[in-house]
Amino acid sequence: MISEGTVYPLLNRLKREKFVTTSIEESPDGPARKYYELTSAGRRQLEWMNSTWAGLAGAIRSLQEGAES
C-alpha cells in the first residue's frame, strides 16, 4: 500500500529536480486539483531509467537461465 506520505514527497522531489511541472486547475466537483506533467528533462530521465531497468532485467533473466541449465 502506498500512502500520501510516500507519494507527495516523491512528487515534490521530482519538481525540485525539474523533472515535472505542476499546474492547478479548478474542479467543478470539489477543490482545485494539482496536475503533474513530465518536462523534457523528466522524459529523458524516464528513458534512462527504463533502459537501465531493461538491462538489469535482462541480466537477471540471463542468470536465471544459466542456473536452470
Side-chain angles (χ1 to χ4, degrees):
M1 190 74 138
I2 298 174
S3 70
E4 289 180 16
T6 301
V7 173
Y8 289 107
L10 288 172
L11 288 169
N12 285 327
R13 178 177 171 195
L14 292 171
K15 185 177 178 185
R16 271 194 322 273
E17 294 177 1
K18 301 195 183 330
F19 292 140
V20 298
T21 58
T22 59
S23 61
I24 296 177
E25 295 185 23
E26 294 299 321
S27 171
D29 300 322
R33 298 177 184 203
K34 186 182 269 191
Y35 291 90
Y36 294 82
E37 183 177 359
L38 285 174
T39 62
S40 58
R43 282 189 285 283
R44 285 191 304 274
Q45 182 70 9
L46 178 60
E47 288 173 13
W48 177 82
M49 291 173 75
N50 284 338
S51 174
T52 301
W53 178 256
L56 177 61
I60 291 170
R61 269 193 307 277
S62 179
L63 288 172
Q64 289 173 326
E65 290 167 359
E68 294 172 359
S69 298

